[in-house]
Amino acid sequence: MILRAKVVFPLTARPIADGAVFIVGRKIRAVTPWKNLRPHVREKALDLGAVILLPGLVNPHCHLDYTDMAGELSPPRAFTDWIAAITVAKTAWGYSDYARSWLNGAHQLLKFGVTTVGDIEAMPDLLPEVWEATPLRVFSFLEMTGIKARRAPQEVLREAVETIDALHHARNRAWLSPHAPYSTLPELLQRTARLAQKRGWRVSIHVAESQEEFDMFQHARGPMHEWLKRNERNAADCGLGSPVAHLARQKLLGENVLAVHVNCLARGDATLLAKNKTSVVHCPRSHDYFKHPAFQRARLAGAGVNLCLGTDSLATVRKPGKTRPELDLFAEMRALADKDPSVTPSELLDMVTVNGARALGLAGKIGELSAGAFADLIAIPFAGKARDLSEAVLQYSGAVSASLIEGRWAIPPTG
């Protein structure tokens, strides 16, 4: 397959006006100016016209299970109030509700250009059936808690590992997600860290998301500390430092770890994350929903942390008027740009492509158009000039005009 476009935007190389992408099987063979192709090769090309052809977007943090809760939960006064509200909402749903919600979310991700997603899976019974129903590349991080159910950490982990070992899929796979430091015990974090290192697995964990969580671990006080104390959570791990420092003590920081949110930093946390090569996933619209403390992007980036953008779940996105929000990484980029004037369009694009690829262990394979990478591409309409591509992509609103995943059309081009 040979695709021609007004502009090919590889991300890791200079844009190519009137460019072409040469695809063989599931992978890219070459990215080149159209004029460099031989005449007999050009005859086989599919001309996509006035579009920017760029890598498929990478969303390293999502909760597809909760897509259909969009706009249902009002922003809470306290983070612990929201935990209680979503717990109640979940009890009213059955298998078919979660399956429908998951598939609706997958459709929205494709619509807005995502080709790879890291999804927190609270309903592992959905797998692998929902995988088969979408062309997306999905990494399902199986959620683990155990506090409320009073389950032993080794039992929680054993059940998750048995589920993972029973799943087989050519494109998709499952990994581990201890939910958060406050909702798990140190032993579960330690056991997860050791097993993930041994098996070469990725781990995703919510950490330092709220001021309440930060106060619980840093100072052994506050609403979350008292709420969990009433629920008989052992608080011996509190008052010893920040949530990030807590993960470090449990050996759960590393290149294979995705630290989600990280909205509250203590002194030295950014350096600790960078030193351990831990990726941080920021979710701008979810951040706004909760009115968390300002995200310290510049501080984390300055320390050398790999920063990504995710959508989180639609249960934590404000409803814009009467319309229901959708899972849209373009909207997440614009939301961060509105809050942080210091971030450049180029940095934002990296956060939804190459940085996300690195976080998921697929650097050089997804999030860029290069020889040897998977043929994951999206096209968006473009009538401007090639010198302003990053800004054009940032400001694009609406569905992509085409999407290709591993050389197969997920959204075929029209016209």
Side-chain angles (χ1 to χ4, degrees), residues 151-356:
R151 297 181 66 202
Q154 61 267 35
E155 180 187 348
V156 173
L157 183 58
R158 176 180 52 77
E159 182 179 286
V161 171
E162 287 177 354
T163 299
I164 292 171
D165 287 345
L167 291 168
H168 304 282
H169 194 274
R171 185 178 61 253
N172 304 333
R173 63 176 304 175
W175 284 323
L176 296 170
S177 178
H179 173 259
Y182 65 83
S183 57
T184 57
L185 294 176
E187 184 184 349
L188 181 58
L189 303 183
Q190 295 162 15
R191 286 176 176 270
T192 299
R194 290 194 297 267
L195 183 69
Q197 284 290 343
K198 180 180 179 180
R199 294 212 179 187
W201 288 355
R202 250 44 195 181
V203 176
S204 183
I205 182 168
H206 306 82
V207 61
E209 181 174 4
S210 65
Q211 187 65 49
E212 291 97 322
E213 179 189 344
F214 187 84
D215 288 342
M216 171 180 169
F217 284 97
Q218 183 80 4
H219 307 294
R221 69 186 185 203
M224 180 173 285
H225 181 264
E226 296 307 311
W227 177 62
L228 288 167
K229 190 175 179 180
R230 291 193 298 272
N231 283 273
E232 300 181 16
R233 183 195 187 278
N234 189 329
D237 55 351
C238 299
L240 304 176
S242 71
V244 170
H246 176 75
L247 292 191
R249 284 195 301 276
Q250 316 313 321
K251 309 298 183 186
L252 193 59
L253 289 181
E255 194 170 2
N256 67 321
V257 176
L258 288 77
V260 182
H261 300 305
V262 193
N263 295 320
C264 302
L265 291 174
R267 186 174 183 179
D269 279 355
T271 301
L272 192 58
L273 290 162
K275 180 181 177 181
N276 286 280
K277 299 182 179 179
T278 302
S279 294
V280 168
V281 187
H282 177 50
C283 304
R285 292 190 296 170
S286 177
H287 185 277
D288 176 70
Y289 173 90
F290 286 109
K291 298 299 181 186
H292 289 312
F295 181 64
Q296 298 182 54
R297 185 201 64 83
R299 183 175 169 188
L300 290 162
V305 175
N306 181 49
L307 294 176
C308 319
L309 288 188
T311 57
D312 208 351
S313 83
L314 291 182
T316 57
V317 174
R318 292 176 184 272
K319 190 174 181 180
K322 295 183 179 180
T323 61
R324 291 168 70 92
E326 294 184 283
L327 294 170
D328 182 353
L329 267 185
F330 291 100
E332 300 293 348
M333 285 192 284
R334 290 192 294 274
L336 179 55
D338 289 343
K339 289 285 185 180
D340 183 358
S342 70
V343 66
T344 68
S346 178
E347 287 172 324
L348 287 164
L349 274 182
D350 283 347
M351 292 170 79
V352 298
T353 53
V354 291
N355 294 6

Side-chain angles (χ1 to χ4, degrees), residues 49-131:
V51 302
I52 300 173
L53 197 58
L54 69 154
L57 306 186
V58 181
N59 179 3
H61 184 70
C62 189
H63 292 262
L64 291 172
D65 291 349
Y66 307 146
T67 301
D68 287 354
M69 291 185 185
E72 297 299 318
L73 302 178
S74 299
R77 294 179 61 184
F79 188 72
T80 48
D81 293 338
W82 181 83
I83 296 173
I86 195 167
T87 300
V88 171
K90 288 165 64 174
T91 60
W93 277 23
Y95 178 92
S96 60
D97 299 298
Y98 283 108
R100 181 172 55 251
S101 185
W102 197 104
L103 294 172
N104 285 341
H107 174 76
Q108 291 174 22
L109 291 179
L110 283 170
K111 174 183 175 182
F112 295 109
V114 168
T115 53
T116 299
V117 60
D119 180 48
I120 305 298
E121 187 51 75
M123 293 290 293
D125 288 351
L126 297 175
L127 307 176
E129 283 76 14
V130 288
W131 284 351

